[in-house]
Amino acid sequence: METDRLLTGAEDQHSEDYGSGPARSGGDSRGSRRMSYSTTGDYCRLDGDDEDLYIQQAVVFIEDAIHYRSINHRVDGRSLRLYRWYYSRICQWILGTIIAVVLLLAFVERPSSLSISSDPRHQSSRWEPPCGAPESVEMLCLLIFCLDLAVKSYLIGWEEFRKSKWLISYTVVICVSVIDWVLSVSMECDEKLRVRRLVRPFFLLQNSSLMKKTLKCIKRTLPEIASVILLLALHLCLFTMIGMLLFAKNADQKKNGEWELHFKNLTTSLTSLLVLLTTANNPDVMIPAYSLNRCYAIFFITFSIIGTYCLMNLLTAIIYNQFRGYLLMSVQTSIIRRRLGIRAAFHVLSCHRAQTEEQELVRVNAVLQVMSRVKMKHFYKSAITAASQQFADQGYMDQQQFRRIFDELDKDSIKEHPPLPQYTSATLQKLQVVFSHYYLTVLGNLVALANVLCICTILVLNSEKSTEERDNNVLEVINLCFILFYLSEMSVKIFAFGWRGYLSYRSNIFDGFLTILLLILQIAIFITYRLPYSQEPSSRGVMSLWEMVRLVNILIVFRFLRIIPDIKLMALVASTLLDLVKNLRAFAGILVVVYYVFAVFGIWLFEGAIKPPPQMSVFSMDNTTSNFSNACGTYEQLGYWPNNFDDFALAE
């Protein structure tokens, strides 16, 4: 255990004791720590031969603490360089891109999904890559995965590799993928099943620690979820039998509506109530029975209250409670990992004072040297460095002081806006005060609201007109006036706040980007259609005048979102939604994996099951639908409904 190593580590232990066992390098000069003391005993330092290695170890341990990684890995010089390279941003970005490429291969492999429409009546011949092209890309990705597995296994050592179920599964998945790839190539890409498609989502799972934690939480939640699901199944079966008894077939055909549609047999009854559990067919499922007797509604209401509003909410509460408890445990584990990393860094840098042998100390210069090499956000590096320099007069710090300076990692950075530019002219200073006032933003929001209302009014008035009949000149002139105001608003804000101050606000970046984009579109309209605008917009340019005006209107409506930060309640809701999206990334990854697997199964099971009728066009389908609707109206008036499609055709 990592904790045992750190808690029992003595001053004269090997540096490799803070990593995995196989990390011990040859040579006693690297394996032990040598210290030299000053004659006065005020400070101590590491020997120059070993200092660089211990600095590297401390740098890696601090980076592990920052990213909540385990410190149980090799700590010799060569392994540390490989470790930092592997966890560098560019290496992890490349690995993530390779995983995305592997997952996206399913869209171009046979059967290809490269078609504009999913309607089989509209699809043209799909483009399918030649045999060997996707396979070559896939083999390149598999080779990179093999390299990834080899690096991970080397860094943690054989003992830790045998304990890691994820790495063992990673090895099995790569082997299965390679074997299936060889079979696919040998069969010239004509095989029906590709097993490696089914295991590709595993590459996404194993590369995300958050997704692994989510899966572990789901696994722990399954027993309690299973009990509630069993209770739901019992509830469903019980009401299914009661429903079949209540809505049995009657001698009077007019009273068999509920039986015919929803309770004809066990399968139909179970399906109808299962759908009702999700309220998808409510109240349609009870309308035939309710039209005969209002009291039948009690059956469906009781079923919904018990199933939908009690048992389903109980299931949600159990899942929430389990995830909340696991989240707390996960946070505690992350905090322990961070403290272990910080303590390991302290131990590899520490030494004893000559006068107090029992007290471990760290030189401030060594800490500053470590912080200069650590890759982390500039804000945290500056804060930790400043906290370390407070002990420069003493020249050293103890364990508590060393741990306390890294408490800065738990603090959020407060963004400070640059100071306003200084103008010497009194007139410019007064203008700066006016243009930097909050009321200018309020005025801009009101003008944006007026612009959106104008667009809505014109769209309502022209809703019955075709694009050729609409007079786009009026709307374009109105938009031009508003765009000029937006441009002037952006200009005066830049004058008041300066470039850096203007760009320090995210709302200004959003507002300015859309304003410049609107200005570019407006200039493009002028260049294409001149003044006055052509009455035949389709005769010029790549886009018609209406299409360009429509694009301008979409951007103006989108720009209206600038009001969100200025309304506190709305800004709170928006920030909550953004935080929710960030925190649900792991769960979203699990959903992607589940949908991906089911999509692969769907391709296998239903390939070629849907075929469009020969010589069937959209026009003929529309006519069939229209005739069917007219016939349904006639049959409703006559009180007669055909039993099957043959009766319908005979009646026609």
Side-chain angles (χ1 to χ4, degrees):
M1 293 293 291
E2 300 164 0
T3 310
D4 298 336
R5 287 185 184 142
L6 292 177
L7 293 178
T8 60
E11 177 61 38
D12 57 350
Q13 279 184 320
H14 298 300
S15 64
E16 286 80 8
D17 286 346
Y18 303 107
S20 62
R24 292 186 174 91
S25 58
D28 294 336
S29 61
R30 285 288 187 180
S32 62
R33 175 175 304 181
R34 297 190 300 272
M35 292 169 286
S36 61
Y37 298 89
S38 68
T39 56
T40 61
D42 291 336
Y43 68 93
C44 58
R45 64 179 178 85
L46 301 175
D47 198 323
D49 295 336
D50 292 335
E51 185 173 6
D52 186 65
L53 174 62
Y54 293 122
I55 292 295
Q56 291 183 30
Q57 292 175 354
V59 168
V60 171
F61 288 148
I62 294 299
E63 291 179 349
D64 289 340
I66 293 171
H67 300 287
Y68 305 107
R69 293 196 295 255
S70 172
I71 62 173
N72 205 7
H73 53 77
R74 295 178 183 267
V75 290
D76 58 279
R78 184 175 59 182
S79 298
L80 289 176
R81 288 190 292 270
L82 178 61
Y83 185 85
R84 296 193 72 193
W85 172 82
Y86 177 78
Y87 282 105
S88 63
R89 181 174 299 179
I90 183 171
C91 185
Q92 293 299 310
W93 183 85
I94 292 174
L95 185 58
T97 304
I98 295 299
I99 294 174
V101 170
V102 167
L103 294 177
L104 292 175
L105 280 176
F107 291 94
V108 297
E109 293 174 331
R110 188 188 64 84
S112 173
S113 300
L114 300 180
S115 60
I116 297 178
S117 174
S118 61
D119 193 332
R121 299 170 298 169
H122 301 164
Q123 287 182 359
S124 57
S125 58
R126 300 185 182 185
W127 177 84
E128 293 189 1
C131 179
E135 285 72 19
S136 300
V137 175
E138 185 176 12
M139 178 49 66
L140 177 62
C141 296
L142 290 176
L143 291 176
I144 295 177
F145 290 145
C146 291
L147 179 62
D148 175 54
L149 176 62
V151 172
K152 285 182 177 178
S153 304
Y154 170 77
L155 290 176
I156 67 173
W158 171 247
E159 294 296 329
E160 293 298 323
F161 175 82
R162 291 191 305 174
K163 299 176 185 177
S164 177
K165 297 179 181 179
W166 282 100
L167 289 181
I168 295 175
S169 302
Y170 196 13
T171 306
V172 173
V173 168
I174 291 177
C175 293
V176 170
S177 300
V178 171
I179 294 173
D180 191 65
W181 182 90
V182 172
L183 293 176
S184 177
V185 173
S186 62
M187 299 175 65
E188 297 181 353
C189 309
D190 197 28
E191 77 281 10
K192 296 297 182 182
L193 299 179
R194 296 187 180 184
V195 180
R196 62 185 185 276
R197 280 185 178 179
L198 202 59
V199 298
R200 283 173 184 169
F202 180 84
F203 299 127
L204 179 62
L205 288 175
Q206 66 85 28
N207 195 53
S208 173
S209 59
L210 288 177
M211 293 177 66
K212 292 177 184 177
K213 292 180 180 179
T214 305
L215 280 178
K216 188 175 181 180
C217 180
I218 293 174
K219 179 182 176 181
R220 293 183 55 186
T221 312
L222 284 179
E224 295 190 22
I225 292 179
S227 61
V228 180
I229 292 178
L230 182 61
L231 192 59
L232 274 172
L234 180 62
H235 166 74
L236 193 61
C237 293
L238 179 63
F239 273 83
T240 298
M241 291 185 289
I242 295 175
M244 293 183 68
L245 293 174
L246 284 178
F247 308 111
K249 186 176 182 181
N250 199 295
D252 189 357
Q253 294 294 330
K254 295 182 179 179
K255 297 181 180 180
N256 286 334
E258 190 71 30
W259 173 82
E260 182 72 29
L261 295 176
H262 305 292
F263 292 92
K264 193 171 185 178
N265 49 50
L266 180 62
T267 304
T268 305
S269 305
L270 196 62
T271 304
S272 299
L273 291 182
L274 181 61
V275 177
L276 179 60
L277 196 64
T278 65
T279 68
N281 59 353
N282 184 39
D284 299 342
V285 67
M286 72 174 184
I287 291 300
Y290 184 76
S291 61
L292 294 177
N293 192 330
R294 294 178 184 268
C295 294
Y296 282 127
I298 299 176
F299 169 80
F300 297 98
I301 293 174
T302 305
F303 175 83
S304 297
I305 290 176
I306 298 176
T308 305
Y309 299 107
C310 293
L311 296 180
M312 294 296 286
N313 288 333
L314 178 61
L315 180 64
T316 305
I318 289 176
I319 295 175
Y320 169 76
N321 186 56
Q322 288 292 328
F323 268 83
R324 184 182 63 176
Y326 185 76
L327 177 62
L328 179 60
M329 293 177 58
S330 177
V331 171
Q332 291 174 347
T333 303
S334 299
I335 293 175
I336 291 175
R337 281 193 172 187
R338 172 167 287 182
R339 290 185 176 180
L340 282 174
I342 294 172
R343 186 170 180 180
F346 177 82
H347 274 272
V348 298
L349 294 175
S350 63
C351 57
H352 294 296
R353 293 187 66 187
Q355 298 176 354
T356 56
E357 292 290 337
E358 297 179 355
Q359 184 180 14
E360 292 183 345
L361 301 173
V362 170
R363 291 187 299 112
V364 175
N365 291 336
V367 176
L368 295 176
Q369 188 176 357
V370 168
M371 292 309 303
S372 65
R373 297 188 186 184
V374 172
K375 294 181 180 179
M376 59 190 305
K377 292 184 178 180
H378 178 72
F379 167 78
Y380 295 114
K381 179 181 288 190
S382 301
I384 295 174
T385 302
S388 303
Q389 291 174 347
Q390 295 177 0
F391 303 95
D393 295 337
Q394 302 177 11
Y396 57 86
M397 62 180 71
D398 59 20
Q399 183 174 343
Q400 293 299 324
Q401 294 169 341
F402 184 81
R403 182 185 60 82
R404 197 176 299 119
I405 65 174
F406 286 97
D407 289 342
E408 299 292 335
L409 295 173
D410 301 324
K411 300 178 182 179
D412 294 329
S413 61
I414 300 175
K415 185 177 181 180
E416 297 182 357
H417 300 287
L420 299 178
Q422 301 295 325
Y423 296 103
T424 56
S425 173
T427 303
L428 294 180
Q429 291 177 358
K430 292 180 180 179
L431 290 176
Q432 185 182 29
V433 172
V434 173
F435 294 146
S436 62
H437 201 279
Y438 175 71
Y439 286 155
L440 180 64
T441 303
V442 175
L443 177 62
N445 293 336
L446 293 176
V447 173
L449 176 62
N451 193 358
V452 173
L453 292 177
C454 289
I455 294 175
C456 291
T457 303
I458 295 176
L459 290 178
V460 170
L461 295 176
N462 296 335
S463 59
E464 299 295 332
K465 297 180 181 179
S466 64
T467 55
E468 290 78 10
E469 296 173 348
R470 296 184 180 186
D471 186 7
N472 299 314
N473 295 335
V474 177
L475 185 58
E476 176 57 26
V477 171
I478 294 176
N479 287 341
L480 175 61
C481 297
F482 282 106
I483 290 173
L484 292 177
F485 174 82
Y486 300 151
L487 185 62
S488 61
E489 180 189 11
M490 183 181 70
S491 302
V492 297
K493 283 187 176 181
I494 293 175
F495 162 77
F497 295 101
W499 274 108
R500 293 182 58 194
Y502 180 82
L503 296 178
S504 64
Y505 295 90
R506 293 182 180 179
S507 58
N508 286 343
I509 296 175
F510 173 79
D511 194 15
F513 173 75
L514 290 181
T515 300
I516 294 175
L517 197 56
L518 287 170
L519 180 63
I520 293 174
L521 284 174
Q522 199 65 48
I523 294 174
I525 292 175
F526 286 157
I527 294 175
T528 306
Y529 297 103
R530 313 288 178 174
L531 284 172
Y533 296 123
S534 170
Q535 296 299 323
E536 297 179 359
S538 60
S539 61
R540 297 185 187 179
V542 180
M543 299 175 63
S544 66
L545 178 59
W546 161 246
E547 291 173 341
M548 300 187 76
V549 171
R550 179 171 57 183
L551 182 58
V552 169
N553 292 336
I554 292 174
L555 293 178
I556 289 175
V557 173
F558 190 61
R559 185 184 178 277
F560 184 64
L561 296 177
R562 57 170 277 173
I563 69 169
I564 292 179
D566 299 322
I567 302 177
K568 292 185 178 180
L569 183 60
M570 190 180 296
L572 178 62
V573 174
S575 62
T576 304
L577 291 176
L578 291 177
D579 293 338
L580 187 63
V581 172
K582 295 178 182 178
N583 296 328
L584 287 180
R585 287 181 299 177
F587 191 74
I590 300 294
L591 290 180
V592 169
V593 170
V594 172
Y595 277 107
Y596 194 97
V597 172
F598 273 88
V600 172
F601 274 118
I603 292 175
W604 291 351
L605 296 175
F606 305 110
E607 183 179 5
I610 302 177
K611 297 181 180 179
Q615 299 179 354
M616 178 68 71
S617 63
V618 180
F619 178 75
S620 61
M621 288 292 293
D622 293 340
N623 288 340
T624 303
T625 305
S626 177
N627 293 335
F628 180 79
S629 301
N630 295 334
C632 288
T634 303
Y635 294 138
E636 186 177 1
Q637 294 177 359
L638 296 176
Y640 166 78
W641 287 89
N643 292 328
N644 50 42
F645 185 80
D646 294 336
D647 292 343
F648 177 81
L650 182 61
E652 282 292 296

